[in-house]
Every structure is written in structure tokens, then in C-alpha cells.
């Protein structure tokens, strides 16, 4: 089943009613609730009560396994078929024919830009790549071995103190400015976090370079008067940004929407989204894959490692997905990209271990039964490492690409008349009312 519902879906055939009939066996009462886009509204269940003082029926869905929290027109995924489209365009076509900035425009604005729109968009983002000098001082306060993702999350949050008018989230011009600023500044913050951890001077943005090329320059420039990125690596990084741009209601997009629904400024909401991404089950998985490959060590130990995973002693990182029950289409593109990168950088020796893990896992009943396939993170880290990014930077790289998706999800949420402050219900199973005993009398 597709996890995103395609726009056409009313889901009825001629003569059928688009409703669901419910019989409450506790009371014998019958109800009819509307069905639209393959869903019922949970609030329609509230009328189902056993008595007048009954709160009404709720649904219990930890981790949103079967709950749509919004309507969206940004990203379509069919997890069974391994399909991913941004605004209707297949991911492989976008990766082949567009730059990241074109895709960011598409994801945020709904259509691909024409030449003038792209020039204007690129210019606006490029003129916001510099950060306030005080950001450097702020960054200098971090410990020498601070994790770059921790620095990234904090400095994104700190941007809200530099741009207080971003709080005017209902002003379209302010939102536009924030979008330019965040897309422009996240590569700079990311590179500064890395340079700080290396004890190296910060490199200012070079606005003559492409989005990915400038980022590579800010990361790796040493003494050369002008940094010239390798074109294959620059293109590969740009494609990786495209592949990470959006992924519908994942953990960090959900954080962006939930935190943004309180109408906090977008920098604070983005910091929350980046924090969600940091976790090893989400954007931190790309780093975990490399730690795992190190742990496996050699190809001949793959079988024993898989055995441990099946015995519940750990997970095969970079495998499995809440939505994809087929090969992640992004992983397919990345595998191909890896060959091009390795031609320039030399082959990452860990590739052999990864390929062997994939081969064994895809033939194994445990993984077949659970429909566990390589996801985007399984091969991306091997490319990043070959390009000389330290493992700690991997989630930060994910965050740069995902910035456009977070902004698109945030704006869509703000403009959606159905949305309100995100506030789930709970099933209270704690103590009933009881009396407080004085400290002296407690056992
Ligand atoms: N290795 C071994 N077993 C696994 C794995 C794995 N990577 N992933 C899931 N399983 C098993 C899991 O133990 C469960 O088995 P059982 O039915 O016997 O209890 C079954 O498969 C279903 O898994 P689940 O945990 O219910 O699935 P989920 O949808 O809650 O979790 C996931 C999805 C991505 C968190 C999970 O597959 C995982 O932890 N994978 C490794 C981390 C990873 O690679 N994350 C990156 C995801 S893609 C990047 C992004 O987030 O955008």
C-alpha cells in the first residue's frame, strides 16, 4: 500500500457511499462516518460514547504507524514499489536533470523554476551565505571535540536571536527572507562546525562557486588563493543533497511541523528538526553504518555479524525503513554515484564489506520476511568518507540537504487551514487520586 495517498483518491466506485459504518458492540449503537482520501477523521469517532459523561472514542497509535497527521502536496512515496517523487517528479529524473537549488525551489514553491526564477533564487540564497561575526565567537565557545551536529543544532537555534523579525511567521515576505537565510547559511554553519573541531580557521563563503562547491571550499580550503572543487565530487554532493531534500512525514519533518505549530520562529523549529535528525534511527544512521562496518572489520566476518543481528544483538544499520518495504530508490542512485566518486577518490575499502552485508542480508529469510532493504544511509557514508568528510559530519550533511524539505513542510503547515497546535491525546494509566503524605511519614 502507498503511504502517501495520491491526489485522485476518493476511493469509491459508482453507487457506493464514501462512508464507514461502525457498530459499537458495547452499546449496540451504529454510526456512519465519512471516508475521504482513504482516511476517516479521528475526531468523528468522538461521538461514539458508552454514556453521556464518556469522553468519546479515540485512536491509539504510538509512533503514528497508521495516522496521517496532515495533507501534503510535497512528496509522494509508494513504499511497496520503491517510488519517491517530489511534487510529482521522480527522484531519479531530478537527480539526473536538476541542481540542488532547482530542486529546493521545486520542493518549497511547488514548480521547477524557469531561468529567471532560478537566477533570482540562486542570487537571493547566495547573498545570504555569510553569517554574523558573532556566530564565530559563539562557535568558539564549544569544546574542541564538540560533535559538529551538536554545534549545528545550537547555532541554527542561535540564528533566531540574530533575526528576531522572523517571528512574524504570517508575513509572506518574512518567510521568504527566512527561507533564503536558512538555505544560504546552513552550509556555512556546517562547515564552521567542522573547522572548529579541526582547530582550523573558518573559511568565508565564495559566492562565485556553486552551492555544493562553495560548501566543499568552506570545508577543505587550506592555503590556495581560490578553492577549485573537483567537478565529479561537487556534482556527487549536489546529487546527495537532492536525494535528501525531503521525505514526507519523517521524524524530523514531523518535529519541524509540531514545533512550528506553536508559531515559534522558524530557526527554533529548524533546530528541533535538526535535533530529531541527529538520532541514530534517523539521519544519524549514516554515521552508524560506518561504525558498524568498522566493527565488522573484514568481509569474512559478515556472516557472524548477520547471525548476531538475527539473534537480536544489534541492528543492521542502514537497513529497514518505516515506509519502504522495497529497495529505497535513493539507495539505488547512491550505489551508482559511488562508482563515479570512487574513480576520483579511490575505492573505499569498506565497500566490499557493505556489498557482502547487502548480498547476505537480501538472501536471508529474516530480512526477506521483514522486508528489510538498504536505505539511503547504507551507501551514502561510504561516499562521504571517500570524499574525506569525517564520520561525525555525516548527519550534518544530511541536514544541509533536508533544509529545503523542512522549510517546505513548515510553510505548508502554516498555510493549512486544518492545522492547529500539535497536541496529541494520551491514555492515562497512572494512579487514581491519592493523598500526599508528609515527608516524615513516608517509608
Ligand atoms: N536490522 C535488523 N532488524 C531490523 C532492522 C535492522 N536495521 N530494522 C528493523 N528490523 C526488524 C525489527 O527488529 C522488527 O523485527 P520483529 O518484527 O521481529 O520485532 C521488524 O524488523 C520491524 O521493524 P520496526 O522496528 O518495527 O520498524 P520501524 O518502522 O519502527 O523502524 C527503522 C524503521 C528505520 C527505525 C528501523 O528499520 C531501523 O532501526 N533501521 C536501522 C536504522 C536506520 O538505518 N535508519 C535510517 C532510516 S532511513 C533515513 C531516514 O530516516 O530518513
Amino acid at each position: 500500500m502507498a503511504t502517501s495517498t495520491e491526489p485522485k483518491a476518493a476511493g469509491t466506485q459508482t453507487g457506493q457511499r464514501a462512508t464507514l459504518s461502525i457498530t459499537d458492540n458495547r452499546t449496540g449503537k451504529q454510526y456512519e462516518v465519512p471516508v475521504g482520501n482513504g482516511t476517516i477523521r479521528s475526531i468523528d469517532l468522538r461521538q461514539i460514547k458508552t454514556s453521556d459523561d464518556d469522553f468519546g472514542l479515540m485512536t491509539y497509535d504510538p509512533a503514528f504507524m497508521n495516522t496521517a497527521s496532515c495533507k501534503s502536496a510535497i512528496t509522494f512515496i509508494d513504499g511497496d514499489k520503491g517510488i519517491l517523487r517530489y511534487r510529482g517528479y521522480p527522484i531519479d529524473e531530478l537527480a539526473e536533470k536538476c541542481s540542488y537549488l532547482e530542486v529546493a525551489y521545486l520542493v518549497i514553491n511547488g514548480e521547477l523554476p524557469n531561468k529567471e526564477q532560478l537566477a533570482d533564487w540562486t542570487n537571493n540564497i547566495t547573498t545570504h551565505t555569510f553569517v554574523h561575526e558573532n556566530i564565530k565567537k559563539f562557535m568558539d565557545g564549544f569544546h574542541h571535540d564538540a560533535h559538529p551536529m551538536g554545534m549545528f543544532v545550537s547555532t541554527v537555534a542561535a540564528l533566531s536571536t540574530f533575526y528576531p523579525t522572523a517571528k512574524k511567521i504570517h508575513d509572506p515576505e518574512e518567510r521568504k527572507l527566512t527561507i533564503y537565510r536558512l538555505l544560504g547559511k546552513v552550509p556555512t554553519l556546517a562547515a564552521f562546525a567542522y573547522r572548529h573541531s579541526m582547530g582550523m580557521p573558518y573559511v568565508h563563503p565564495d559566492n562565485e562557486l556553486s552551492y555544493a562547491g562553495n560548501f566543499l571550499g568552506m570545508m577543505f580550503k587550506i592555503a590556495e588563493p581560490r578553492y577549485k572543487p573537483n567537478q565529479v565530487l561537487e556534482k556527487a554532493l549536489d546529487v546527495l543533497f537532492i536525494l535528501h531534500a525531503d521525505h514526507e512525514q519523517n521524524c524530523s519533518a514531523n518535529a519541524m511541523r509540531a514545533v512550528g505549530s506553536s508559531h515559534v520562529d522558524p530557526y527554533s523549529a529548524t533546530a528541533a528538526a535538526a535535533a530529531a535528525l541527529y538520532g541514530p534511527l534517523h539521519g544519524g544512521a549514516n554515521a552508524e553504518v560506518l561504525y558498524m562496518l568498522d566493527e565488522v572489520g573484514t568481509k569474512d566476518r559478515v556472516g557472524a555479524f548477520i547471525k548476531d543481528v538475527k539473534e537480536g544483538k544489534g541492528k543492521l544499520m542502514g537497513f529497514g525503513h518505516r515506509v519502504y518495504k522495497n529497495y529505497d530508490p535513493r539507495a539505488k542512485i547512491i550505489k551508482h554515484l559511488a562508482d563515479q566518486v570512487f574513480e576520483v577518490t579511490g575505492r573505499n575499502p569498506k565497500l566490499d564489506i557493505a556489498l557482502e552485508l547487502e548480498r547476505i542480508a537480501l538472501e536471508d529469510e529474516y530480512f526477506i520476511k521483514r522486508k528489510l532493504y538498504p536505505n539511503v544511509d547504507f551507501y551514502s557514508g561510504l561516499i562521504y568518507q571517500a570524499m574525506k568528510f569525517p564520520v561525525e559530519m555525516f548527519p550534518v550533511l544530511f541536514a544541509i540537504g533536508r533544509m529545503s524539505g523542512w522549510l517546505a513542510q513548515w510553510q505548508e503547515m502554516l498555510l493549512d487551514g486544518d492545522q492547529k497546535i500539535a497536541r496529541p491525546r494520551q491514555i492515562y494509566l497512572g494512579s487514581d487520586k491519592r493523598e500526599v503524605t508528609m515527608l516524615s511519614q513516608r517509608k
Side-chain angles (χ1 to χ4, degrees), residues 40 51 170 201 244 315 362 382:
I40 60 162
S51 61
H170 298 298
H244 287 90
K315 274 186 171 174
L362 293 184
L382 291 171

Side-chain angles (χ1 to χ4, degrees), residues 65 247 250 280-283 285 309 314-322 325 330 366-367 370 372 375-377 398 402:
M65 295 289 286
H247 214 230
N250 55 82
L281 298 187
H282 190 11
V309 169
K315 274 186 171 174
L316 182 50
M317 298 310 284
F319 254 69
H321 201 276
R322 170 65 57 80
K325 301 300 165 198
R330 301 169 299 174
Y366 175 95
F367 295 88
R370 291 170 179 79
L372 301 171
N375 59 49
V376 69
D377 292 319
F398 195 149
R402 186 52 59 85

Side-chain angles (χ1 to χ4, degrees), residues 232-246:
V232 174
L233 304 187
E234 182 183 9
K235 173 69 188 154
L237 189 60
D238 200 64
V239 171
L240 285 162
F241 289 157
I242 293 173
L243 300 183
H244 287 90
D246 193 55

Side-chain angles (χ1 to χ4, degrees), residues 211-222:
Y211 194 74
N214 168 49
F215 175 60
L216 287 170
M218 291 189 292
M219 285 286 300
F220 299 123
K221 183 172 183 292
I222 305 206

